[in-house]
Amino acid sequence: MTTITSGDCVKIAGKINQRLDRRVSITTLKRVFGFAKTKHSFSKYTLAALVDYVNSEDFVLSIESGSAKPAFSAVLDNQISLHPKQLVLEALEKLLKYDQESLPLIDRGIHLGVVYTKDLIYFLTHDDTRHGTLFHKLNFDLCTATAIIIHRK
């Protein structure tokens, strides 16, 4: 497992540009990995570029072969994180318990992104015209909730 640093964001931005012919700024990547604070959600363009890169053949081959460092992995010794299969309720409890605005989303040592408290609250309260859907939304896993959040924005 490797540790990602803020300096790695330069390399990752270059790889995304080279592989996908899309530009994601170094500063945006630093925000994704939690090295810089963000005051707003990431654009659909940025999120799509990151998903496309993670799903790209280059990225998958580098992880499977072990010949290259996974671009989104991070060592998280004693660091609080969330897992995509955690329920929204569990994620909010952890965010509030540790008084965090955001926490990294990690699956099998791979840093998938950042979950923000404000985005989960948006997910829970947005389009609740039927009243009573809050209970159901609290029981969505983070993977499903983030997909809905991205789709709605």
Side-chain angles (χ1 to χ4, degrees), residues 3 5 17 19 33 40 45 75 78-79 82 103-104 106-107 116 119 127 136 138:
T3 302
T5 66
N17 185 24
R19 175 71 180 152
F33 290 108
H40 52 81
Y45 173 88
V75 173
N78 300 320
Q79 184 178 356
L82 299 171
L103 285 173
I106 308 293
D107 186 14
Y116 293 89
D119 288 337
D127 288 341
H136 297 290
L138 285 168

Side-chain angles (χ1 to χ4, degrees), residues 25 27-28 31-32 36-44 46-47 101-102 114-116 118-119 149 153:
S25 78
T27 303
T28 297
R31 288 184 181 113
V32 167
K37 288 190 177 187
T38 184
K39 295 180 183 179
H40 52 81
S41 300
F42 298 105
S43 71
K44 288 180 185 179
T46 298
L47 295 172
E101 293 179 17
S102 64
V114 178
V115 175
Y116 293 89
K118 66 180 181 174
D119 288 337
I149 291 168
K153 289 187 175 185

Side-chain angles (χ1 to χ4, degrees), residues 62-121:
S62 72
I63 292 173
E64 289 175 353
S65 69
S67 61
K69 290 196 260 182
F72 292 104
S73 74
V75 173
L76 298 172
D77 295 334
N78 300 320
Q79 184 178 356
I80 306 161
S81 64
L82 299 171
H83 188 275
K85 295 297 180 188
Q86 275 188 288
L87 300 180
V88 170
L89 175 63
E90 295 169 335
L92 278 172
E93 285 176 339
K94 190 177 271 191
L95 284 157
L96 296 172
K97 177 181 177 182
Y98 294 103
D99 194 29
Q100 298 292 307
E101 293 179 17
S102 64
L103 285 173
L105 188 65
I106 308 293
D107 186 14
R108 290 171 283 184
I110 298 174
H111 188 286
L112 302 174
V114 178
V115 175
Y116 293 89
T117 306
K118 66 180 181 174
D119 288 337
L120 290 180
I121 292 170

Side-chain angles (χ1 to χ4, degrees), residues 3-14 26 29-30 33 35 69 71:
T3 302
I4 189 162
T5 66
S6 105
D8 292 326
C9 294
V10 174
K11 295 175 191 171
I12 295 168
I26 297 163
L29 288 173
K30 286 181 180 182
F33 290 108
F35 295 115
K69 290 196 260 182

